[in-house]
Amino acid sequence: MIARLRRLKSDISYLNKARTNLIDAWPESYYRKEFIELRYVNRRVFILNRPEDIQHVMVSNASNYRKSLANRQPLKPLLGEGLFVSEGKVWSRQRKIANPATHTKRLEGYAKIMIEAAGEQMAAWGESGLPREIDLTEEMTLLTSEVITRCMFSCRLGDKGVTLYEAFQEYLASHGRIHITELLGFPEWLPRLSQIKGRKAVDKFDSVIRHIIRLREQSNEQPDDLLQMLFDFQDATGQPMDDLLLRDEVATIYLAGHETTAIALGWSFYLLHRHPEVKARVLEEIEGALQGRVPCFSDLSKLPLCRAVFEESLRLYPPIHVFSRQALGEDKVGGSRVPKGSFMTIPTWVLHRHEKHWENPNDFIPDRFLPENSSKIAPYTYLPFGAGPRICLGKHFGLAEGTLFLAMFAQNFDFAVPDGRKVEAWGRMTLRPKGGMPMIVNRRD
Ligand code: HEM
């Protein structure tokens, strides 16, 4: 009995550490091991770093797994039953409706909007007096938030972008941690204290999401965008999408469609600052490809190093740094029996730095992702966008946006972390820099 109580105490203290900063909580040995089986209180938890096991859970036998509460619950108050959170038939139907909006044939049109919005942001920086210190993650968040709104909902956010940004920051302050209740699989109906605390932030966020929807309801125009696809949907009986579900999808596409890209851009410029030799090559590539002009969609193929820098920063700092799935029925993974209800954890942060899968795993080596080298990356060792049926809806959108913005901002500005400032990776709901990404921004000569 005493031994069990001691074990419980140590489990709870580990889980507490994990929920403060999950990155720091992964034991050193996990970066070498491929299959780890643990018991927390009454739950079986498997940590998977072996590509075949990851493929089994996320792809080949994905129907036996659902996103666990640890992945879904923290976002539910904001996103309701939107694509990121929903399961089963609702998810499958909604995914089919949204898929066409991110088809690669639409990318060229989206790229025009991205380039225009980045141009406006750069002009505003130029007018604001440089050099000055900024939080680069915040600035990139406001920009990508404007871009996703223009691309998917055909409207401009303007100042409302700041309201959404503030609402989400307030929300993260109460929901950003990974919760013990979710890790232990407490029932969904149980009220969480954080839900009560984050209510004001949800209302603030919701008011802008509903404003975006209202604008379309009151408009005579029907642009060819995702919002219109949601409006036009009718099920087999001719019923339109439920108002609340439509609201949840708008909230989901808005949030999933900008936050991760912005964080990844912040990390990309941080890594370039830390690696001047790579930065010099990046600037050379940009100069050669663009010769001082504004890029266009077709320039993307001329910027392989810019794209490789963005992909390598997604390896070292994957914004979604852990996946958690729960077994709906019994299974066998890596030769071990997986009882129904077990948690399958795929720790992207660890997988991307695993000694068996990567040479010099902690080093920033963008050349790994250059077209001539990328075939050496083994399948299911690099998962910044997930895998299987739940793979990111906006993967190509995010990669195009990340590459274009990296090229445009590096072409015009220089970014440097102020002397003496530490940038620390903080593994919360997403992998963010703790306290922001401080950068002195200056115009490049
Ligand atoms: C660099 C940028 C991005 C990264 C790193 C990223 C990462 C991810 C990951 C890892 C998932 C899967 C989560 C899981 O399986 O538990 C995901 C899902 C999703 N992403 Fe992205 N994402 C990015 C950009 C975007 C963009 C631009 C959009 C919208 C245009 C988007 C929309 C979504 C949606 C709707 C889902 C849920 C898909 C589903 O469950 O069916 N993401 N993202």
Side-chain angles (χ1 to χ4, degrees):
M1 180 70 181
I2 289 178
R4 280 182 74 184
L5 278 174
R6 275 212 191 104
R7 177 78 212 266
L8 180 67
K9 202 173 152 212
S10 110
D11 284 354
I12 290 186
S13 113
Y14 175 77
L15 289 170
N16 244 332
K17 189 174 169 191
R19 80 191 196 109
T20 304
N21 184 358
L22 189 57
I23 299 309
D24 281 351
W26 296 118
E28 213 31 61
S29 64
Y30 285 20
Y31 295 83
R32 291 185 296 278
K33 288 185 189 165
E34 287 196 285
F35 187 86
I36 298 126
E37 191 176 338
L38 306 166
R39 232 175 235 277
Y40 277 117
V41 193
N42 58 344
R43 292 284 178 182
R44 206 75 74 81
V45 179
F46 295 85
I47 318 272
L48 307 180
N49 278 320
R50 188 161 40 214
E52 305 87 278
D53 299 339
I54 295 171
Q55 180 182 20
H56 177 83
V57 170
M58 293 187 86
V59 188
S60 359
N61 201 23
S63 59
N64 186 46
Y65 294 91
R66 64 169 197 164
K67 284 193 174 189
S68 76
L69 285 185
N71 262 188
R72 293 185 294 125
Q73 198 67 28
L75 285 165
K76 241 183 143 173
L78 276 185
L79 308 184
E81 280 301 310
L83 258 182
F84 202 92
V85 175
S86 59
E87 290 285 335
K89 282 196 185 131
V90 175
W91 168 78
S92 165
R93 188 189 83 169
Q94 298 298 103
R95 176 89 195 203
K96 279 196 199 101
I97 300 169
N99 270 338
T102 52
H103 193 282
T104 45
K105 70 178 185 214
R106 288 180 179 260
L107 276 184
E108 187 165 358
Y110 292 149
K112 275 195 194 125
I113 296 174
M114 292 168 188
I115 292 160
E116 184 188 54
E120 289 164 22
Q121 168 102 329
M122 292 197 294
W125 280 4
E127 284 160 20
S128 69
L130 297 177
R132 69 186 172 92
E133 187 177 325
I134 56 167
D135 173 353
L136 187 59
T137 307
E138 176 179 344
E139 298 280 335
M140 287 294 150
T141 306
L142 291 171
L143 173 59
T144 54
S145 134
E146 184 64 48
V147 167
I148 198 70
T149 310
R150 289 189 199 177
C151 290
M152 299 294 163
F153 315 132
S154 306
C155 66
R156 287 174 178 249
L157 265 185
D159 291 348
K160 292 206 159 39
V162 178
T163 310
L164 281 172
Y165 177 79
E166 285 170 0
F168 190 55
Q169 298 311 305
E170 286 159 24
Y171 183 80
L172 282 179
S174 57
H175 282 73
R177 289 169 176 225
I178 293 161
H179 280 257
I180 292 183
T181 40
E182 321 308 356
L183 286 169
L184 300 182
F186 278 25
E188 256 174 271
W189 49 262
L190 207 71
R192 272 75 175 160
L193 187 62
S194 57
Q195 279 176 7
I196 298 156
K197 282 202 279 182
R199 197 60 245 171
K200 263 193 180 163
V202 173
D203 290 346
K204 198 164 162 180
F205 183 86
D206 201 40
S207 69
V208 182
I209 297 299
R210 288 187 188 279
H211 167 77
I212 292 172
I213 297 170
R214 238 186 349 264
L215 280 181
R216 180 63 52 89
E217 282 167 346
Q218 291 164 358
S219 161
N220 294 325
E221 287 172 29
Q222 300 188 340
D224 177 22
D225 64 5
L226 176 68
L227 184 55
Q228 199 59 40
M229 293 173 197
L230 301 174
F231 264 85
D232 290 346
F233 171 79
Q234 287 188 341
D235 68 13
T237 65
Q239 286 300 307
M241 191 176 297
D242 175 83
D243 283 352
L244 189 57
L245 189 55
L246 190 141
R247 175 259 162 229
D248 291 348
E249 295 305 3
V250 173
T252 299
I253 298 296
Y254 169 75
L255 196 65
H258 82 279
E259 214 244 338
T260 42
T261 318
I263 298 176
L265 277 162
W267 288 117
S268 300
F269 282 105
Y270 168 75
L271 287 163
L272 286 179
H273 162 72
R274 296 276 309 274
H275 299 271
E277 68 297 346
V278 180
K279 186 161 134 187
R281 285 176 55 213
V282 163
L283 293 177
E284 209 177 297
E285 178 180 89
I286 296 169
E287 184 49 36
L290 306 180
Q291 310 205 333
R293 65 177 169 76
V294 176
C296 59
F297 178 69
S298 61
D299 290 320
L300 275 171
S301 58
K302 299 181 204 146
L303 297 165
L305 186 60
C306 289
R307 178 165 161 140
V309 166
F310 190 66
E311 291 187 287
E312 175 72 341
S313 47
L314 285 172
R315 182 184 72 84
L316 285 171
Y317 297 101
I320 306 229
H321 55 100
V322 62
F323 301 115
S324 174
R325 302 286 193 258
Q326 190 171 19
L328 295 168
E330 185 167 319
D331 197 6
K332 205 166 183 191
V333 177
S336 287
R337 190 177 83 85
V338 172
K340 178 180 171 183
S342 301
F343 290 100
M344 314 306 283
T345 302
I346 295 129
T348 327
W349 166 274
V350 178
L351 181 76
H352 285 185
R353 292 169 180 252
H354 200 278
E355 290 178 13
K356 199 154 176 225
H357 309 318
W358 302 93
E359 248 173 64
N360 303 314
N362 294 314
D363 292 353
F364 175 59
I365 310 177
D367 295 55
R368 309 175 200 267
F369 289 95
L370 288 177
E372 60 271 28
N373 300 329
S374 59
S375 62
K376 290 180 215 145
I377 297 168
Y380 302 100
T381 57
Y382 179 67
L383 298 175
F385 296 99
R390 305 297 300 240
I391 195 167
C392 175
L393 181 83
K395 176 179 171 180
H396 300 293
F397 185 110
L399 282 172
E401 188 175 28
T403 308
L404 278 173
F405 286 180
L406 195 114
M408 289 178 80
F409 282 89
Q411 182 186 34
N412 291 288
F413 297 98
D414 201 43
F415 299 97
V417 177
D419 287 344
R421 300 283 274 283
K422 213 172 132 210
V423 175
E424 198 188 326
W426 211 27
R428 311 276 280 202
M429 201 189 295
T430 45
L431 181 66
R432 319 179 117 247
K434 189 171 184 183
M437 179 66 78
M439 286 280 183
I440 306 282
V441 55
N442 205 355
R443 193 170 274 291
R444 284 193 60 233
D445 299 325

